[in-house]
Amino acid sequence: MDATITLSHPKPPPSGMPPEQNLAPRDVAALADELVAYHAIFAPLFRRREQRHWALQYLRGQLLDLERKSIEPMALALEGGNVQAMQQFLSDGAWDDDRILQAHQHLVAETLGDPETGVLIIDSTEFPKQGTHSVGVARQYCGALGKVANCQSAVVAGYASRKGYTLVDRRLSLPECWFTPAYAPRRQKCGVPSDLGFRTKAELAGELIATLKHRGALPFQWVTFDEHFGQNPTLLDQIAGLGVWYLAEVPHDTRVWLERPPTAVPPHAGKGRRPSRERVLAGDAAPVSVKRLAEQLPADAWTRAQVHEGAKGPLVAEFAFLRAVAIRNDLPGPAVWVVLRRSLGEQPELKVSLSNAPRDLPKAAFVRLSGMRWPIEAAIRECKDELGMDHYEVRGWRGWHHHLTMTFLAHHFLVRARRRLGEKIGSPHGGPGPATPARGLAQTPA
C-alpha cells in the first residue's frame, strides 16, 4: 500500500467545524496493513480478482490527502492507479453491492452494536450536480446549498450507539418526473432498473428500516428522524408494525387529541347511501396543535435536562411530556407520547416529536434520543468532507450505488481504527457518551 497515505484532518473541513476522524499522523502508517486486512473481509464477495484489486485501490484512494477524490485524481495519486480500470470497476463492474452492504452491516454490528443504546437514524442528503445526465438529477431542494438547485437526492440510514456511529444503507431518490415517458431514454441510458417505480422519500425510508429490521444484523429498538419523515403517518404506522419504537420530529401544526374521542357511524338520514364510516361524535373536543399544547403548559410542567456534551459544553434544554392520541384519516389513531423540547434563552426554539414507545418508558430515554440527530449529520459530513462521497463523477445507477457502498466501507474502516486506538465517539465533538438527565429523569417512569 502506498506509504504516503494520509488523511485530510490537519485542516478543518469546509464547514469550519472540528474534524471528526482525528487520527494522528503517527497512526496512519499502521493503517496500511490494517486496510488490507479490512478489505480481505469483503474480498470474497467480489466476483473477479480484478474487482478485488480495484476495490482495495478505491478504498486507498478515498483515504488519500487529496483536495478532490474523484476517480482521476485518486488514480493518478495511487501507485499502480489506472483511471480507465477504476472507472470500469465503479460504473460497470458486475459486483453485487447489496451483498457487500449486508456484510458491512454485520461488521458494523460487531464494531458498534449495542442493544441498549443502538439507534437507527434516517436522513436525506443531496449532491449538487451540473447538467441533466446524472441518474436522478433534477431541480429540487438541496440541503447542501439550502435552496432549490440541480442535484441528486438520497435517503440514508445511519447506526449509532455509545460506541460510535457510521452509515449502513442508502436509497437514491428518483424524482417523479424521471418516471414520465420523456425521461425513458435517460432512465435506460443511466441503467435504472426497468421494474423500478416512483417512491417518495418516506417510502424509501420505510423500505430501509424494514430491510434492516428483517435482516437482524444491527441491534436497535429505536429509529429517529426529522419532520420531513415524521409528518408521514403511514411511515410511522409501518415502523410500529415492525415492533420498533420511533421518535419522530413533527411540524408544529400537527394535531392530536389529549383524550380519545368517542366515534360512531352516523345514523341513516333516510336519503342517499347509508353511512358506513365512523366519525368523531359532534360536540366532542377538537384536536389541538402540538404548538398550542406547548403554549398552554404551566411553567412547572417543564424540566431541564442535559441532552449531550456539545462543542461549547453541555447542551441543556427544557422538556415536557404528554400522552395523546394521534390522528389517522380524521379519526383517533394510536396512543403516542408528545415530547416537547425547547432551547434556553430569550427566544427559545421549540421542537416537537411523537413516539409510539410504551407508556411506562422512563422519560430519560426520550431525552437521550432527542439528542441523537447529530451522529448521522456528522457521518454524512465526514463522508463528504473526508472521503469524497460527493466528489464522484459517475452518471449511472450502478456507479452511484457502488460509490456510496465503497464510501460507507471507508468510513467504517476509520471508525474501527478509532475504536482500536481507544478513542470514544460519544458526542458531536468528542465529548462523553449518553447524557445524564437532570432532576432525576433517569429514575422517573413515563
Side-chain angles (χ1 to χ4, degrees):
M1 180 175 177
D2 187 350
T4 63
I5 286 183
T6 59
L7 302 180
S8 55
H9 306 299
K11 56 185 178 182
S15 65
M17 299 297 288
E20 304 291 338
Q21 307 290 359
N22 52 346
L23 291 169
R26 65 180 179 276
D27 301 320
V28 175
L31 296 184
D33 292 339
E34 192 169 334
L35 183 61
V36 172
Y38 179 74
H39 165 267
I41 299 172
F42 303 96
L45 300 177
F46 291 96
R47 297 179 179 179
R48 301 173 60 85
R49 178 174 58 84
E50 294 84 357
Q51 293 171 354
R52 293 191 286 272
H53 170 74
W54 291 113
L56 178 57
Q57 287 289 75
Y58 202 84
L59 287 173
R60 286 170 170 167
Q62 290 187 293
L63 299 180
L64 289 171
D65 186 9
L66 299 173
E67 183 176 352
R68 185 161 184 83
K69 297 182 181 180
S70 54
I71 287 177
E72 184 171 0
M74 291 195 303
L76 294 177
L78 287 165
E79 182 180 350
N82 183 302
V83 174
Q84 185 175 356
M86 290 182 71
Q87 182 72 46
Q88 195 280 333
F89 162 76
L90 199 67
S91 298
D92 304 316
W95 49 277
D96 188 346
D97 53 43
D98 189 57
R99 291 182 66 203
I100 304 291
L101 275 180
Q102 288 189 51
H104 166 67
Q105 291 155 12
H106 281 278
L107 201 59
V108 169
E110 291 180 13
T111 309
L112 307 177
D114 188 330
E116 293 184 3
T117 64
V119 56
L120 193 69
I121 314 168
I122 302 296
D123 203 356
S124 60
T125 187
E126 287 73 44
F127 306 89
K129 289 292 172 183
Q130 300 293 330
T132 59
H133 300 289
S134 296
V135 62
V137 73
R139 284 192 60 79
Q140 54 193 320
Y141 180 76
C142 180
L145 301 176
K147 62 180 181 180
V148 173
N150 203 56
C151 66
Q152 294 165 302
S153 185
V155 179
V156 295
Y159 183 81
S161 72
R162 70 181 103 196
K163 301 176 183 179
Y165 57 86
T166 196
L167 301 179
V168 293
D169 209 345
R170 73 285 178 267
R171 295 290 186 274
L172 179 62
S173 175
L174 294 184
E176 197 165 6
C177 64
W178 268 74
F179 295 93
T180 61
Y183 277 76
R186 248 183 283 195
R187 290 199 308 274
Q188 183 175 9
K189 187 173 182 179
C190 290
V192 176
S194 58
D195 59 347
L196 190 70
F198 171 70
R199 289 169 294 175
T200 65
K201 287 187 178 180
E203 289 172 331
L204 293 174
E207 181 181 304
L208 280 172
I209 297 164
T211 297
L212 291 167
K213 179 62 177 177
H214 291 319
R215 282 179 180 168
L218 294 164
F220 66 92
Q221 179 60 59
W222 285 96
V223 62
T224 186
F225 35 74
D226 64 20
E227 66 178 50
H228 176 82
F229 301 100
Q231 65 185 340
N232 188 295
T234 301
L235 174 61
L236 302 186
D237 292 345
Q238 179 186 357
I239 295 170
L242 294 170
V244 176
W245 303 336
Y246 57 77
L247 185 68
E249 189 175 337
V250 296
H252 288 180
D253 60 358
T254 301
R255 297 180 305 149
V256 295
W257 278 286
L258 289 179
E259 300 288 343
R260 185 173 296 276
T263 61
V265 177
H268 188 216
K271 296 181 180 179
R273 181 178 299 177
R274 182 179 295 275
S276 59
R277 182 176 180 270
E278 279 190 304
R279 298 179 184 177
V280 175
L281 297 181
D284 277 278
V288 61
S289 73
V290 291
K291 181 181 180 182
R292 182 66 174 161
L293 281 180
E295 294 171 343
Q296 293 176 340
L297 286 177
D300 60 4
W302 296 88
T303 301
R304 287 192 180 187
Q306 179 179 319
V307 181
H308 59 64
E309 284 285 345
K312 299 180 180 179
L315 175 60
V316 177
E318 291 185 318
F319 288 85
F321 309 90
L322 298 168
R323 292 293 290 176
V325 177
I327 295 178
R328 296 292 186 266
N329 298 319
D330 296 325
L331 290 171
V336 294
W337 278 106
V338 181
V339 180
L340 304 163
R341 167 181 161 176
R342 67 185 183 191
S343 58
L344 306 183
E346 295 181 359
Q347 295 181 324
E349 178 187 9
L350 177 67
K351 290 183 179 293
V352 185
S353 299
L354 300 184
S355 177
N356 66 324
R359 187 184 189 98
D360 61 352
L361 188 78
K363 295 173 184 175
F366 297 121
V367 175
R368 181 181 74 86
L369 266 294
S370 76
M372 290 300 290
R373 288 275 310 140
W374 69 263
I376 195 167
E377 295 167 354
I380 290 171
R381 185 175 70 245
E382 291 162 11
C383 284
K384 289 184 176 182
D385 294 347
E386 304 294 334
L387 301 170
M389 187 168 74
D390 56 350
H391 293 177
Y392 61 90
E393 295 175 351
V394 294
R395 292 179 172 177
W397 175 270
R398 177 178 290 178
W400 185 90
H401 286 82
H402 282 179
H403 171 70
L404 262 71
T405 296
M406 297 305 297
T407 304
F408 290 4
L409 297 188
H411 186 267
H412 181 229
F413 170 73
L414 294 180
V415 171
R416 279 166 57 96
R418 290 189 68 183
R419 292 281 300 166
R420 181 180 60 79
L421 293 168
E423 299 182 32
K424 294 182 179 180
I425 310 173
S427 80
H429 306 293
T436 303
R439 297 191 185 178
L441 276 182
Q443 291 78 36
T444 306

